[in-house]
Amino acid sequence: MFSIILDQSVKTKDNVPVVIDTIVYYKITDRSKFFELSNNPQNIIDNLAIKALHFAANEIQSSIEMICIKMKDALNQKTEFYGIKIYPIDLKRVSFENEDEKERKNK
């Protein structure tokens, strides 16, 4: 199974603004927990993935690989409760805002 998270704006620890599209792959590992605790599993994954992405980006300096690792670790800590295991996280689009774009947005 997978969840697609689009257009998440985050800032890295070194204050670099980034827009990221993410695919989170997961598997239900405990069916009884999953069905007992989650009436909308897709919503749970999406919300936790967004929080984990922001956490991961804020913890590191502009490293895509480290964002994936931190995000996966943070998600697995939270989703275990629901009987869900997170597998690879794939950052599909990563756009670093340059100074020209920032100036246009501020006008």
Side-chain angles (χ1 to χ4, degrees), residues 21-66:
D21 291 345
T22 309
I23 299 177
V24 177
Y25 296 92
Y26 63 96
K27 179 180 180 181
I28 300 167
T29 56
D30 186 330
R31 290 188 175 276
S32 60
K33 274 186 183 179
F34 179 76
F35 288 110
E36 182 180 320
L37 298 171
S38 57
N39 60 358
N40 189 344
Q42 190 66 50
N43 194 38
I44 290 169
I45 293 291
D46 290 351
N47 288 334
L48 290 174
I50 290 167
K51 289 176 185 175
L53 176 59
H54 285 265
F55 168 77
N58 287 324
E59 288 293 306
I60 55 118
Q61 294 183 340
S62 310
S63 167
I64 302 309
E65 183 179 340
M66 286 305 297

Side-chain angles (χ1 to χ4, degrees), residues 82-96:
Y82 296 100
I84 300 169
K85 173 80 173 163
I86 302 299
Y87 288 97
I89 294 187
D90 189 7
L91 301 183
K92 286 303 212 184
R93 179 179 63 106
V94 179
S95 302
F96 291 92

